[in-house]
Amino acid sequence: MSRPPVNPAGPSFPDDPRRAPDAAGSRGSVPPAAVVVALVAGAEATALLAAAAWYAFQLFSGSPVLSFWGAVFTLGLLLAFSAWLYAVAVFLHRGYRWTRAAALVAQLFVLTIGVPALTSGLVLAGLAMVVPALLAIVLLFSSKVINFASRTGSTPTL
């Protein structure tokens, strides 16, 4: 599928839905639903970063572990997933298309931990994971988020 020619007098980023005129002719902004999903992903990333900090403190303060390098690998996974969620939050706020799938996968992972926590008696921890995840999943499929998160990339600079 080819793209129509770009007007040189138009916006510098024609694929950016926030800069493109909407149906009323005014410049659009980030829909509140996309902001909520980005905030949920950012809060989850912050929680993972806090868990990684606590895990690192316990690891390096001498808590017994079966495999030191396995624990270091787990710490690396916590840090990598936290960085990935921060990237999802930032790029969802910018309107990139790939972030919807990434945010959905993250919310499904949260549900796989939150539902067992909820059913095993950790009600507050379970609700703190399940409620934002379900809210984010519902908002990810709202038409405003789908329409907003349609940017595939920026235009190349000449």
Side-chain angles (χ1 to χ4, degrees):
M1 177 177 197
S2 64
R3 294 184 182 193
V6 177
N7 180 3
S12 58
F13 299 103
D15 290 337
D16 190 349
R18 292 172 290 156
R19 298 176 193 245
D22 59 6
S26 64
R27 299 284 177 200
S29 62
V30 182
V35 171
V36 170
V37 175
L39 287 175
V40 167
E44 290 169 348
T46 303
L48 273 177
L49 193 60
W54 176 78
Y55 192 80
F57 173 75
Q58 291 294 320
L59 178 64
F60 295 117
S61 67
S63 293
V65 293
L66 292 177
S67 168
F68 177 77
W69 293 111
V72 170
F73 178 74
T74 303
L75 177 62
L77 284 177
L78 285 170
L79 292 171
F81 196 51
S82 176
W84 178 67
L85 271 175
Y86 277 127
V88 167
V90 168
F91 286 103
L92 178 66
H93 191 266
R94 292 182 184 174
Y96 280 89
R97 180 178 302 178
W98 64 268
T99 57
R100 287 186 57 244
L104 178 63
V105 168
Q107 301 318 309
L108 292 175
F109 281 141
V110 170
L111 285 178
T112 61
I113 297 169
V115 170
L118 191 61
T119 59
S120 68
L122 299 170
V123 177
L124 289 177
L127 286 175
M129 289 183 265
V130 170
V131 171
L134 289 176
L135 176 67
I137 289 172
V138 168
L139 292 177
L140 278 170
F141 290 102
S142 70
S143 61
K144 291 187 180 197
V145 173
I146 292 171
N147 291 335
F148 174 73
S150 61
R151 182 175 168 190
T152 57
S154 60
T155 58
T157 57
L158 299 176

